[in-house]
Amino acid sequence: MTLRRADAQHIVHALRLGTVPHRGLEHYAVGQAREFGVLQEELASVASGHSRLKAVRGGYGSGKTFVISRLAEEALSQRFVVSQVVLNRAGYSLHSLERLYQGVMQQLRAKGTEGNALASILDRWVSAAEEYAVEVQNVPEDDEGALRHAVGKRIEVLLQEVVRERPSFAAALRAY
């Protein structure tokens, strides 16, 4: 596996700061093959439609952040959306689920996005509704009023299940 110069510089810079780099971790990962293998199996299970929750626990310096960052990197390469939130840092804890959820949403990452991926995900969702209106419903792209109406109707269809389960979330998506 070839190490790109930009990745090497990113790794060295992060290590100088005492943090785990966001990419290129496979170039210097040693001694965690067993743990990483278990997590890759969990990732494969999720990819096949199952849900999983896995907590990683260990002493200071045992490599928790490193192995989770490496798993996030692997998940991103498989087109997953990932979020990493450290409990008890910046007020994130299981005792404040609203704050924890806020942290999860703020830390969302997706392949090809920089920073918070939520806006990008929502933009892709709206774009998919627009493509559906143009390609399936044959709405002319240059008829802005008709396109806006068709996209709104398509979004309402997509939100029907969300409305039943989480009406306030559906309202937030509509507003976006």
Side-chain angles (χ1 to χ4, degrees), residues 32 35 55-68 86 89:
Q32 295 177 326
E35 294 87 346
V56 177
R57 195 178 87 152
Y60 180 80
S62 63
K64 301 176 298 292
T65 302
F66 183 89
V67 77
I68 292 302
V86 179
R89 213 182 264 174

Side-chain angles (χ1 to χ4, degrees), residues 64-160:
K64 301 176 298 292
T65 302
F66 183 89
V67 77
I68 292 302
S69 295
R70 188 166 172 223
L71 180 66
E73 192 175 75
E74 176 71 19
L76 286 169
S77 75
Q78 294 181 32
R79 304 196 48 81
F80 279 87
V81 174
V82 301
S83 182
Q84 291 174 256
V85 178
V86 179
L87 296 180
N88 295 325
R89 213 182 264 174
Y92 302 129
S93 75
L94 296 176
H95 300 295
S96 177
L97 292 179
E98 184 175 315
R99 176 78 176 115
L100 178 61
Y101 180 74
Q102 180 183 23
V104 168
M105 298 310 290
Q106 289 173 342
Q107 299 299 323
L108 278 181
R109 292 189 301 144
K111 187 175 183 172
T113 63
E114 290 294 323
N116 186 329
L118 182 59
S120 176
I121 292 166
L122 292 175
D123 288 344
R124 288 183 204 169
W125 182 65
V126 171
S127 292
E130 288 175 356
E131 286 177 22
Y132 181 86
V134 171
E135 294 174 11
V136 175
Q137 297 177 322
N138 297 317
V139 176
E141 285 183 78
D142 57 350
D143 187 345
E144 191 174 318
L147 184 59
R148 184 183 309 265
H149 179 73
V151 168
K153 288 180 77 171
R154 178 65 181 158
I155 286 175
E156 286 304 317
V157 168
L158 296 171
L159 287 177
Q160 284 177 354

